[in-house]
Amino acid sequence: MTQSVDESIDLVAWQGTFGFVITLAVVALLAVYVTRQWRRAWEARAAVDRDNALRDLAVKSLAAQQAQADEIAALRSELAAVKADTGGIHELLRSVS
């Protein structure tokens, strides 16, 4: 009878140990899963933020290119006016000589 009581106590102790190990494994797996999901969500938010920043940069770049093209067009028209005036001055000087 003493042997069966000792075996029962050992069995209960092993059951507790197995329960603890299984619970620890489940908690560890759950922690890994939650951490991976959190990281994926963080990476997705970072990708969206990066895409938005690149989109804003592209819009600013296009606006700057348009402004530069407008300025170049204005400079070309001013240069054409200066050339016309210079041509007029050359004609006046030739006629005076």
Side-chain angles (χ1 to χ4, degrees):
M1 176 136 171
T2 307
Q3 184 179 5
S4 67
V5 172
D6 289 340
E7 288 176 3
S8 296
I9 291 173
D10 287 343
L11 182 62
V12 169
W14 278 108
Q15 286 176 345
T17 302
F18 285 139
F20 174 76
V21 168
I22 290 172
T23 303
L24 185 63
V26 168
V27 168
L29 290 174
L30 185 64
V32 168
Y33 177 76
V34 168
T35 303
R36 283 187 179 174
Q37 291 301 319
W38 179 82
R39 181 177 174 213
R40 287 180 184 160
W42 182 80
E43 286 175 350
R45 281 192 301 268
V48 168
D49 290 343
R50 184 180 57 247
D51 290 346
N52 288 338
L54 288 175
R55 191 174 299 112
D56 292 344
L57 182 61
V59 168
K60 288 179 184 178
S61 175
L62 287 175
Q65 286 176 354
Q66 184 61 41
Q68 189 178 28
D70 293 343
E71 189 172 336
I72 287 173
L75 288 172
R76 283 185 178 165
S77 66
E78 287 180 30
L79 182 60
V82 168
K83 282 183 180 181
D85 290 343
T86 305
I89 293 171
H90 281 281
E91 287 296 319
L92 181 64
L93 289 175
R94 284 188 192 139
S95 66
V96 171
S97 307

